[in-house]
Amino acid sequence: MNFALKLQYFCNKPALFCCLLKRGGSREILVRSMSTTGKPNVYVTRKIPQKALDLLQGECNVSQWAADDPVPRVELLKGVKGVDGLYCLLTDKIDAEVLDAAGPGLKVVSTMSVGYDHVSLPELRKRKLPLGYTPDVLTDATAELTVALLLTTSRRLVEGVHEVKSGGWGTWIPLWMCGSGLSGSTVGIVGLGRIGAAVAERLKPFGVSRFLYHGRNPKPEAAGRVGAEFVGLDELLSESDFVIATCALTPETKEMFNKTVFSRMKSSAIFINTSRGGVVHQEDLYEALKSGTIKAAGLDVTTPEPLPTDHPLLTLDNCVVLPHIGSATVETRTEMAVLAARNLLAGLKGEKMPAQVQL
Ligand SMILES: O=C(O)C(=O)CO
């Protein structure tokens, strides 16, 4: 929607008073809608799918950073002032400062993501604030992308396409552009949660011979579906041909994939990360890829995001980097946005949310 349409759209809403501020470009527009109807006030930190916005606007007065770029911190701190509910994204750091800026009327925080490492749980606990998130609805899309990234990396698809376009494709050569196959391989999954288990189920038909997994606790039900063995991290690293990170980012997993961990993997190992960039020590990964300590890596997540275009990882042929698109199907992103809206609405009423984090 362009600026003029946006203005019209919000001003057409009954009982809403609109104020739009254009800040040097149509991508940075703050939409404020205020009402005297006694509905709860909520702040939405980004432009979100219309279906979710409609749900919120049906029951709330919505203020929104209606742009595709993340809300600047200073605007976030202003925008949350006095709201009852906060609808945020994984790019927004929700900490004591934001919660204090919102004030004592804040009843609920809802994030349009399954990961919630951007939200300070101790600060929520302190304030007895519930947190909504979006598990399940993105499992299939993220597992699908993980498999796609694994195959892209292991079969060197990006390099291959580049060779075709650049004239590097000469003739059929027996060992040219050879990668690694999944058939008969051992796959190690760090974090056999919903997404990790869905990845394993999708990889099984490729003829993987062994699945190993590591995490805080054994997951007998998910593991049973693919015959995965719960093992210590060292065993997983030394035995796996593919190491896949699908664990949450927590203080325990922060930068766990470091020099020591890479040195314990096979030199033929391929590392895939679709969880959070923060689980990887990126300088160590670069060294491991450059030196041949491991064979290749496929990353859907990095630190920071976006990864600067001059980042050393982007100079490597054996590293495939995607722009955090694990859950990026239209259906999935819409479902995530709607679930986050439903969570927020339930939290505002003091009801149990459809998907609430156990704090
Ligand atoms: O929901 C999340 O946590 C994501 O990373 C979206 O892809």
Side-chain angles (χ1 to χ4, degrees):
M1 218 188 286
N2 66 26
F3 179 73
L5 275 175
K6 236 178 218 161
L7 177 69
Q8 192 183 11
Y9 175 82
F10 283 99
C11 290
N12 278 344
K13 291 278 158 196
L16 297 181
F17 163 70
C18 296
C19 153
L20 282 89
L21 304 173
K22 192 167 184 206
R23 294 162 195 270
S26 59
R27 295 197 309 160
E28 291 184 62
I29 298 165
L30 170 70
V31 178
R32 275 198 179 285
S33 48
M34 287 169 268
S35 156
T36 50
T37 56
K39 290 177 178 179
N41 295 309
V42 305
Y43 186 70
V44 179
T45 63
R46 195 78 71 86
K47 184 170 157 187
I48 57 171
Q50 193 59 43
K51 202 168 158 190
L53 192 60
D54 286 347
L55 269 177
L56 294 175
Q57 285 179 326
E59 299 188 33
C60 311
N61 303 312
V62 178
S63 297
Q64 183 184 23
W65 182 261
D68 284 328
D69 288 335
V71 58
R73 182 79 178 174
V74 60
E75 296 299 338
L76 173 62
L77 293 173
K78 269 193 256 166
V80 294
K81 226 174 222 23
V83 296
D84 303 284
L86 171 58
Y87 183 116
C88 64
L89 270 64
L90 54 83
T91 42
D92 309 313
K93 190 170 163 55
I94 307 301
D95 55 10
E97 189 184 22
V98 172
L99 300 173
D100 285 345
L106 186 66
K107 295 181 185 66
V108 54
V109 178
S110 175
T111 182
M112 186 192 145
S113 59
V114 67
Y116 45 82
D117 47 282
H118 55 295
V119 182
S120 168
L121 301 190
E123 293 299 331
L124 290 186
R125 278 186 208 112
K126 219 192 276 178
R127 294 165 172 78
K128 297 191 168 40
L129 286 172
L131 174 65
Y133 72 140
T134 64
D136 300 318
V137 293
L138 48 59
T139 299
D140 289 347
T142 309
E144 206 171 275
L145 188 281
T146 306
V147 173
L149 178 57
L150 187 150
L151 291 168
T152 300
T153 309
S154 62
R155 297 301 301 271
R156 304 173 61 183
L157 300 190
V158 175
E159 283 177 86
V161 170
H162 175 74
E163 292 299 317
V164 172
K165 289 187 176 173
S166 67
W169 180 18
T171 182
W172 194 95
I173 301 173
L175 286 177
W176 187 66
M177 273 294 135
C178 288
S180 310
L182 271 164
S183 182
S185 70
T186 296
V187 170
I189 298 180
V190 178
L192 195 77
R194 300 175 191 85
I195 295 171
V199 169
E201 285 177 66
R202 282 158 179 76
L203 289 179
K204 201 172 165 59
F206 284 90
V208 170
S209 71
R210 272 180 95 198
F211 284 102
L212 308 178
Y213 74 103
H214 178 75
R216 266 193 306 236
N217 303 304
K219 302 276 177 74
E221 202 194 306
R225 292 201 293 271
V226 289
E229 305 159 46
F230 185 62
V231 294
L233 184 61
D234 277 353
E235 185 176 344
L236 181 145
L237 297 172
S238 61
E239 299 279 313
S240 298
D241 300 298
F242 299 90
V243 175
I244 306 175
T246 46
C247 51
L249 173 60
T250 64
E252 295 80 52
T253 61
K254 189 171 162 49
E255 297 191 345
M256 69 173 281
F257 293 94
N258 58 18
K259 189 178 171 155
T260 312
V261 161
F262 293 126
S263 71
R264 290 185 181 147
M265 292 184 193
K266 295 181 182 181
S267 59
S268 56
I270 292 177
F271 172 65
I272 303 295
N273 182 15
T274 52
S275 63
R276 285 288 183 266
V279 304
V280 175
H281 190 292
Q282 260 172 203
E283 288 73 30
D284 289 357
L285 174 61
Y286 172 79
E287 287 306 325
L289 289 168
K290 181 94 182 152
S291 63
T293 305
I294 65 169
K295 188 171 181 184
L299 313 172
D300 182 43
V301 284
T302 58
T303 308
E305 292 181 1
L307 195 65
T309 52
D310 61 354
H311 194 281
L313 280 174
L314 300 179
T315 65
L316 300 174
D317 284 341
N318 58 346
C319 187
V320 176
V321 182
L322 300 180
H324 200 150
I325 52 171
S327 61
T329 69
V330 177
E331 303 81 7
T332 299
R333 288 284 167 85
T334 305
E335 281 188 71
M336 289 166 69
V338 166
L339 178 54
R342 294 212 166 104
N343 285 337
L344 193 82
L345 295 175
L348 286 168
K349 292 176 199 146
E351 294 168 0
K352 193 173 172 321
M353 297 179 198
Q356 186 166 336
V357 175
Q358 295 304 319
L359 290 175

